[in-house]
Amino acid sequence: MTALGMTRREWLAGVVQRRGSVVVLAIVVLVSSFAFDSFATVDNARNVAMQSSFLAIVALGMTFVIMSGGIDLSVGSVYALGGVLAALGIQWGSVAGLALPLVVCGGIGLLNGVLVAYGRLAPFIVTLATLLGARGLLLAITKEGATTRVMPRDALLTRIGQGTLLGIGYPVFIAAVLFAVGVFVLQRTRFGHSVRAIGGSAEAAKLMGLPVARRTMWLYTGSGLLAGLAGALSAAYIASGVTIVGVGLELNAIAAVVIGGTLLTGGAGTVGGTLAGVVLLSVIQNVINQIGTLSSYYQSVVSGAFLAVVVAVQAYLSRAHLGRKRDQ
């Protein structure tokens, strides 16, 4: 028995549930390094990091929302909308190119938060509605995808999206800084502690005197802001705002968060686990590409099967860790 009265099996299940993604990531990287000559190279590592950065920024906001017991299905459409708005706004300068997607996408997140927190509507329904609304606004701006705006390559925002430091893209550093801030907020601030409390029991959090509605509103606002920022950086990276990006991104973000150890029921999770989940998804996709014999359709099947297994294992470990508490 441990000092907290848990058996060794329960304690181990809790550790694996929180850190399992890191272990799986290490195993996949190790095996792939021996299996594929081009996998364990600096260039490939840089590519994986760059591919992970945009999803990581979106998943960071999703982590806080899910940890509070909510869900945000709108981030994929908001991400695509952010890219198009960045390409539209950059006509008036890089500041406008970044400010426009942040304001609009943050506003969509704020709308989600107000409806969920103060309107007491189901997060699934609210964010599904804004998913459709953001995609519709996107199509209206681009005349149903017929208009694609190209971003000037000499613009500051474009240089940020395409620039590198030590061979690593600036978006990777931006994502790293945001995750460092996320770790600090979650572990060292009252706001972060209240997120877990709200996810554990919103009613109990209210009795503790926490401003549940206001905190919930800001969580969804932050999710919209981060999705818009990721979309703007993605558009800067490819130097254009396109309409076909972001489809299914919300599912990848949710998968990364859950694989990282955050419970869909809320109340438990880590920002570091989400980062490991994002990188794990990117590494798996990279490994599938290394094989080179699978079409994009089979890549989706393999990735989906892997995610189903990992999520099932996470759910089992969570029950094993928390089951004793429920029985007491």
Side-chain angles (χ1 to χ4, degrees), residues 168-189:
I168 301 174
Y170 288 155
V172 177
F173 291 103
I174 294 173
V177 171
L178 290 173
F179 265 80
V181 172
V183 170
F184 176 80
V185 170
L186 187 61
Q187 297 184 354
R188 301 295 183 182
T189 67

Side-chain angles (χ1 to χ4, degrees), residues 39 44 48 51 281-291:
F39 180 83
N44 193 53
V48 171
Q51 293 169 7
L281 290 180
S282 296
V283 167
I284 291 171
Q285 191 62 50
N286 186 267
V287 169
I288 292 173
N289 292 334
Q290 295 281 338
I291 296 174

Side-chain angles (χ1 to χ4, degrees), residues 90-91 93-95 150-163 236 239:
I90 205 171
Q91 299 177 52
S94 292
V95 174
V150 177
M151 302 175 69
R153 293 189 178 274
D154 59 344
L156 176 60
L157 181 58
T158 308
R159 294 203 303 269
I160 292 175
Q162 298 181 344

Side-chain angles (χ1 to χ4, degrees), residues 34 58 64 75 96 102 143 162 172 220:
F34 286 101
V58 176
F64 282 85
V75 292
L102 291 182
K143 298 180 180 179
Q162 298 181 344
V172 177
Y220 282 93

Side-chain angles (χ1 to χ4, degrees), residues 285-305:
Q285 191 62 50
N286 186 267
V287 169
I288 292 173
N289 292 334
Q290 295 281 338
I291 296 174
T293 58
L294 296 177
S295 68
S296 59
Y297 302 106
Y298 286 107
Q299 289 178 14
S300 299
V301 171
V302 173
S303 299

Side-chain angles (χ1 to χ4, degrees), residues 29 79 116 136 146-147 169 177 185 195 208 231 239 246 265 280 284 289 309 311:
V29 169
Y79 170 87
V116 171
T147 302
V177 171
V185 170
V195 172
M208 293 169 58
T265 53
L280 180 57
I284 291 171
N289 292 334
V309 171
V311 171

